[in-house]
């Protein structure tokens, strides 16, 4: 039960399509696939410009990732957003969009809706109340600008049809036991097709690789997607050794080559997590060694020497426990065996302790994968897109925005800012 219609390519035109007479409400200037952060922003802007806009999503609610973001409070932007906060095969691609629609532009929208927020870490803005306020802001603006939102609607295919496209839509089945969900066919047509279907992260919430397939179908290159902002796993022997530390959190620095993040780190049953690890995970590749500092900025050697001078009879783990969580101090002194009393430790041996604390090198086994990754690295190769409008350079009328594009932000509100900026830019052009 699938039907298609020719998309009328002249924006605003009202030429009757193949089935247009029968289903006039199914003709749109713009069809946006995906009611996430990017798709809704684009739809609002296109609606403001008088375009008739349809947004479709196979989920039952819009902005599901917004709802669960930032621990339910949505870290909706970062005031210090810079192109350097993004990973991409084409690092300069994001500059134009981030300039045209800045963090402060989104903040102005949040202010206009009277949503209270606070700055958590430097530049990171979170709702005081709930992430659903951001979803309400977006759905409210869509209504105001007459955007039609169709939920429970899957996109089963898109095809070029003359100088336009044919888009096949169907009701996605509501999963209720014993209920036979009839598959109704719907038709959408519009001048521009905007792909805002996001990345592969959190498949349980409906993430698919659909946008990548669509890009490839139209001849666009896709930079291999991989899970990013994701906890890293360790091999069984390392897990066994670190078991006593499970649940321990420290302020740590995680380093890979010249890239370093200093933030919280957590020992888990599977390996390492916490913001410092999520950040470095976007840079990590299988086989790479990570270097961790468990007490960054602390001169461990000087501290241990001072402790030795002040009280040589204490055990080394006692001295270390003044600088680190006790369970970590214990683990580290077990890994660097030596005399019972600190007084009997020569400087060379204290240096080994220092290295174990602040230059701990380890090789993660892998990552937890898309199941827990906050974002997807890679995606539609931006070298095939116009950096000002997000339009596919080789396929008139086709746009890619948000996470489906090979632009991936750090942790801290950057990914939503990319969604707003890229969505806004496409919204001015469709
Ligand atoms: P997004 O994934 O939001 O939307 C895509 C939409 O397309 C979805 O609604 C999906 O159902 C729909 N779709 C997919 N395939 C489809 C198909 N074939 N047919 C129809 N519809 C389809 N970022 C940040 O800046 N601050 C934060 O606090 C957080 N926190 C956070 C927490 C968690 C747990 C996760 C998983 C992620 C974050 N992020 C974040 C990242 C942020 O959520 C993400 O980068 C944006 O939601 C991306 O927005 P998009 O609109 O591009 O995709």
């Amino acid at each position: 039960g699938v039907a298609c219609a020719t998309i009328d390519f002249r924006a605003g035109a009202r030429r009757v399509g193949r089935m247009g007479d029968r289903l006039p409400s199914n003709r749109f200037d713009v069809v946006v696939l995906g009611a996430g952060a990017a798709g809704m922003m684009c739809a609002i802007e296109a609606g403001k410009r008088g375009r008739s806009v349809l947004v479709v999503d196979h989920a039952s609610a819009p902005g599901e990732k917004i709802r669960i973001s930032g621990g339910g409070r949505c870290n909706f932007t970062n005031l210090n957003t810079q192109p350097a906060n993004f990973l991409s095969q084409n690092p300069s691609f994001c500059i134009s969009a981030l300039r045209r629609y800045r963090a402060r532009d989104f903040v102005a929208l949040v202010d206009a809706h009277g949503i209270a927020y606070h700055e958590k870490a430097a530049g990171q803005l979170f709702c005081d109340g709930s992430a659903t306020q951001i979803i309400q802001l977006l759905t409210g603006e869509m209504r105001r600008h007459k955007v039609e939102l169709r939920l429970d609607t899957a996109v089963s295919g898109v095809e070029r049809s003359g100088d336009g496209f044919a888009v096949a839509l169907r009701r996605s089945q509501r999963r209720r036991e014993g209920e036979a969900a009839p598959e109704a066919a719907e038709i959408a047509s519009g001048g521009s097709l905007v792909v805002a279907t996001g990345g592969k992260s959190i498949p349980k919430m409906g993430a698919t690789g659909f946008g990548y397939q669509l890009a490839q179908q139209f001849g666009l290159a896709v930079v291999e997607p991989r899970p990013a902002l994701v906890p890293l796993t360790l091999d069984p022997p390392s897990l066994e050794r670190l078991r006593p530390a499970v649940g321990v959190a420290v302020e740590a620095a995680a380093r890979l080559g010249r890239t370093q993040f200093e933030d919280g780190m957590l020992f888990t049953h599977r390996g390492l997590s916490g913001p410092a690890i999520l950040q470095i995970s976007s840079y990590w590749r299988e086989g790479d060694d990570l270097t961790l500092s468990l007490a960054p900025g602390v001169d461990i050697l000087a501290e241990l020497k001072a402790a030795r001078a002040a009280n040589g009879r204490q055990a080394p783990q006692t001295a270390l426990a003044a600088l680190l969580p006790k369970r970590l101090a214990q683990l580290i002194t077990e890994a660097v065996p030596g005399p019972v009393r600190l007084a009997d430790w020569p400087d060379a041996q204290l240096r080994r302790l220092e290295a174990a604390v602040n230059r701990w090198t380890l090789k993660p086994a892998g990552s937890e994968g898309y199941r827990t990754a906050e974002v997807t690295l890679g995606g539609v190769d931006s070298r095939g897109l116009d950096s000002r409008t997000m339009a596919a350079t080789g396929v008139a009328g086709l746009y890619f925005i948000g996470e489906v594009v090979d632009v991936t932000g750090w942790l801290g509100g950057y990914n939503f800012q990319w969604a707003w900026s890229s969505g806004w830019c496409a919204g001015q052009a469709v």
Side-chain angles (χ1 to χ4, degrees):
V2 166
C4 296
T6 307
I7 286 183
D8 187 337
F9 223 64
R10 293 165 306 157
R14 280 287 173 275
R15 200 170 51 189
V16 175
R18 228 194 309 164
M19 297 177 73
D21 283 332
R22 213 146 53 78
L23 292 164
S25 67
N26 276 334
R27 289 201 315 267
F28 295 89
D29 300 325
V30 181
V31 176
V32 180
L33 309 184
M40 289 195 278
M41 175 57 90
C42 174
I44 291 163
E45 290 302 314
K48 274 185 197 169
R49 291 172 50 240
R51 298 284 188 264
S52 60
V53 184
L54 171 69
V55 181
V56 297
D57 202 299
H58 62 181
S60 299
E64 280 290 271
K65 277 203 182 152
I66 299 175
R67 188 174 57 77
I68 61 160
S69 68
R73 292 225 156 84
C74 187
N75 179 192
F76 55 80
T77 191
N78 193 304
L79 293 174
N80 305 324
T81 301
Q82 295 290 334
N85 304 123
F86 296 84
L87 292 85
S88 172
Q89 294 294 303
N90 182 12
S92 58
F93 177 77
C94 63
I95 295 173
S96 170
L98 293 174
R99 254 194 217 142
R100 295 185 72 199
Y101 191 82
R102 295 172 187 267
R104 62 168 181 257
D105 295 318
F106 192 75
V107 173
L109 185 60
V110 170
D111 282 335
H113 281 256
I115 299 171
Y117 57 87
H118 58 280
E119 187 171 350
K120 210 166 160 190
Q124 301 178 6
L125 300 188
F126 286 76
C127 297
D128 288 354
S130 156
T132 57
Q133 293 175 290
I134 300 294
I135 301 173
Q136 282 160 4
L137 178 164
L138 296 164
T139 52
E141 290 285 326
M142 285 202 295
R143 270 193 305 275
R144 191 149 81 94
H145 298 292
K146 312 247 178 336
V147 171
E148 183 174 336
L149 173 62
R150 275 188 215 165
L151 299 167
D152 292 312
T153 303
V155 186
S156 44
V158 175
E159 271 167 32
R160 206 76 165 114
S161 174
D163 61 349
F165 299 94
V167 182
L169 303 176
R170 62 177 165 76
R171 299 288 291 174
S172 53
Q173 293 183 20
R174 287 179 192 272
R175 306 234 167 268
R176 245 186 257 152
E177 268 325 307
E179 191 185 62
E183 283 203 356
E186 296 190 28
I187 302 165
S189 84
S192 296
L193 182 67
V194 182
V195 183
T197 47
K200 286 188 174 183
S201 301
I202 324 276
K204 223 171 63 183
M205 295 188 67
T208 64
F210 182 78
Y212 310 130
Q213 288 166 31
L214 206 56
Q216 280 167 332
Q217 182 193 329
F218 284 99
L220 279 90
V222 173
V223 176
E224 197 189 346
R226 60 179 276 130
L229 297 180
V230 63
L232 297 174
T233 57
L234 297 171
D235 59 20
S238 307
L239 285 180
E240 184 56 32
R241 199 163 50 82
L242 293 174
R243 193 151 53 173
V246 169
V248 172
V250 277
E251 274 295 304
R255 190 162 68 248
L256 194 88
R258 275 185 293 173
T259 307
Q260 170 170 313
F261 293 94
E262 206 175 306
D263 210 324
M265 185 182 99
L266 178 70
F267 292 84
T268 73
H269 286 287
R270 294 193 190 83
L272 302 172
S273 188
I277 296 297
L278 299 191
Q279 296 279 36
I280 206 77
S281 76
S282 298
Y283 293 83
W284 181 81
R285 291 295 178 279
E286 284 70 13
D288 284 351
D289 278 332
L290 271 193
T291 305
L292 301 176
S293 300
L294 303 177
V298 179
D299 187 339
I300 296 289
L301 183 62
E303 295 284 347
L304 289 175
K305 279 181 178 174
R308 185 178 60 185
N311 177 6
R313 278 176 306 180
Q314 67 180 317
Q317 65 260 39
T318 310
L320 265 190
L323 308 166
L324 284 176
K326 202 170 160 194
R327 280 191 273 163
L328 283 186
Q330 181 88 34
L331 264 180
I332 286 164
T333 42
E334 277 167 19
V336 186
V340 176
R341 296 175 347 140
L342 193 57
D344 300 326
W345 283 60
D347 286 1
Q349 209 160 359
L350 290 183
R351 277 200 196 93
R352 280 202 283 278
L353 266 188
E354 177 193 39
V357 174
N358 270 346
R359 284 186 305 283
W360 176 25
T361 302
L362 79 171
K363 201 187 287 298
S367 85
E368 289 190 5
Y370 290 119
R371 190 178 59 81
T372 58
E374 281 202 11
V375 289
T376 304
L377 198 64
V380 178
D381 193 332
S382 63
R383 286 164 288 209
L385 304 177
D386 180 326
S387 66
R388 198 176 150 76
T389 62
M390 306 295 132
T393 42
V395 189
L398 183 62
Y399 295 75
F400 290 87
I401 56 174
E403 195 179 321
V404 73
V405 179
D406 173 34
V407 173
T408 307
W410 290 358
L411 192 74
Y414 304 103
N415 284 298
F416 279 134
Q417 187 56 45
W418 171 247
W420 314 136
S421 295
S422 57
W424 186 92
C425 286
Q428 312 309 311
V430 289

